[in-house]
Amino acid sequence: MNKFLDISPEVAKALANNQPVVALESTIISHGMPWPQNAETAKKVEQVIRDNGAIPATIAIIDGRLKAGLSHEEIDTLGQAGLSVIKCSRRDLPFVIAKKQHGATTVAATMIIAEMAGIKIFATGGIGGVHRGAQTTFDISADLQELAKTNVAVICAGAKSILDLALTREYLETQGVPVIGYNTDSLPAFYTRDSDHTVDYNLTDALQISDFLQAKWSMSLDGGVVIANPIPEEYAMDKDSIGNAINQALKELDEQGVGGKESTPFLLARVAELTGGDSLASNIQLVFNNARLASAIAVEMSK
């Protein structure tokens, strides 16, 4: 057990009894939407996981302690603090721990803490990836490196469509990270159900995915797996309208000189404004959808 890690009693009991547990990230709370919608959504995602037979473990840093499993009060603390909370990837964890501050975990940091706690299944919205223009900026999300080495499966609606999906797929392939499509041959593009890019394997139920994960890790093939779960049809957005909003947001990003860890929150917030809030509503629904699939996989893994 890591000396900086606190596992909530409920999550610890579930892990000890080989019950299904699903990890959740916390940047969606602090940086994803305003208070109180952020905390309300986080609690709803946890309830979706409970309703589907698993135990939720929302992951964050509270007062310099790594947390696997947050109380509702701790979720509210992150939600109210909002953008003042440090957005934590791998590089930020030592600083936040040493300073005893709050931290909201990205995909990469959530994977690290989940693996420390012994949690193998993690539901999120979309993974980070290679940003557009990375040929000159070298702006590549640390999520991809984490997927290459940390043994956690990430259930997502593909990579965020603000990214360069072609380069993101190439990067994952180079790092040996399998990309599984859940009932799809096409890589979902977050707000839309498909893209011009393929997945590695199309698996059609939670048992098949569980068998895949067991085989991978039983052979000591370290690293994560991307399980791409398309947004439900009724919440998917029109490709042209979301594409136009993303292009406009990218133009403004460049004009305003926003970069680094601020890029993704800026782009997602601006796209939400440009779509009249439709993209945020879609974002929430795809997270619920990913939580349902993650729970089903965790249930199969625990058998």
Side-chain angles (χ1 to χ4, degrees):
M1 180 64 67
N2 189 290
K3 70 177 184 177
F4 297 110
L5 175 64
D6 297 330
I7 303 178
S8 75
E10 181 189 30
V11 173
K13 181 181 177 183
L15 292 170
N17 293 325
N18 196 37
Q19 294 176 277
V21 178
V22 174
L24 296 165
E25 50 129 308
S26 48
T27 52
I28 196 170
I29 304 172
S30 63
H31 291 68
M33 57 193 79
W35 167 265
Q37 187 183 19
N38 49 12
E40 291 166 359
T41 301
K43 292 169 191 173
K44 285 178 184 174
V45 177
E46 288 199 341
Q47 190 58 49
V48 168
I49 288 170
R50 294 185 194 282
D51 292 344
N52 285 273
I55 302 297
T58 300
I59 286 176
I61 303 158
I62 303 291
D63 294 325
R65 299 291 301 173
L66 306 175
K67 299 281 186 177
L70 295 186
S71 66
H72 281 188
E73 291 74 22
E74 288 169 330
I75 289 174
D76 288 344
T77 295
L78 283 182
Q80 288 176 302
L83 296 175
S84 67
V85 177
I86 295 176
K87 180 183 174 188
C88 292
S89 191
R90 172 179 278 267
R91 69 173 182 192
D92 308 294
L93 293 175
F95 176 82
V96 176
I97 296 300
K99 290 288 190 179
K100 295 183 168 51
Q101 294 184 358
H102 297 331
T105 54
T106 61
V107 167
T110 303
M111 290 179 73
I112 292 167
I113 298 168
E115 186 176 49
M116 281 182 193
I119 303 168
K120 294 288 193 182
I121 306 297
F122 163 33
T124 187
I127 58 169
V130 180
H131 282 259
R132 302 186 193 193
Q135 299 92 325
T136 53
T137 65
F138 279 75
D139 191 351
I140 301 172
S141 170
D143 295 353
L144 300 185
Q145 276 290 309
E146 214 55 57
L147 279 159
K149 59 193 171 193
T150 302
N151 296 343
V152 174
V154 182
I155 293 82
C156 60
K160 298 183 177 80
S161 47
I162 55 176
L163 304 167
D164 187 318
L165 297 185
L167 292 183
T168 299
R169 278 295 282 121
E170 289 292 345
Y171 197 104
L172 288 168
E173 182 178 347
T174 299
Q175 297 296 328
V177 178
V179 178
I180 293 173
Y182 179 62
N183 284 302
T184 182
D185 294 312
S186 173
L187 179 70
F190 200 63
Y191 300 117
T192 57
R193 289 178 58 82
D194 54 32
S195 68
D196 297 330
H197 310 284
T198 59
V199 296
D200 295 318
Y201 306 104
N202 179 347
L203 299 182
T204 58
D205 59 46
L207 177 58
Q208 289 183 23
I209 296 170
S210 172
D211 288 345
F212 183 103
L213 298 176
Q214 301 273 18
K216 181 183 194 299
W217 292 324
S218 294
M219 290 186 286
S220 298
L221 296 174
D222 287 341
V225 177
V226 174
I227 300 165
N229 183 29
I231 183 173
E233 187 86 55
E234 61 268 34
Y235 300 111
M237 298 192 67
D238 176 72
K239 278 187 181 180
D240 289 338
S241 62
I242 195 66
N244 291 338
I246 288 169
N247 289 334
Q248 177 64 28
L250 285 164
K251 182 170 176 282
E252 293 175 16
L253 178 91
D254 185 53
E255 289 171 349
Q256 296 179 34
V258 179
K261 67 163 73 174
E262 304 307 320
S263 298
T264 298
F266 175 90
L267 290 169
L268 292 177
R270 192 67 187 107
V271 168
E273 290 171 5
L274 291 166
T275 60
D278 289 350
S279 66
L280 180 56
S282 293
N283 194 345
I284 291 169
Q285 290 299 328
L286 66 83
V287 172
F288 291 162
N289 193 46
N290 294 339
R292 285 188 286 270
L293 177 58
S295 301
I297 297 167
V299 168
E300 293 296 343
M301 290 279 287
S302 69
K303 291 178 182 175

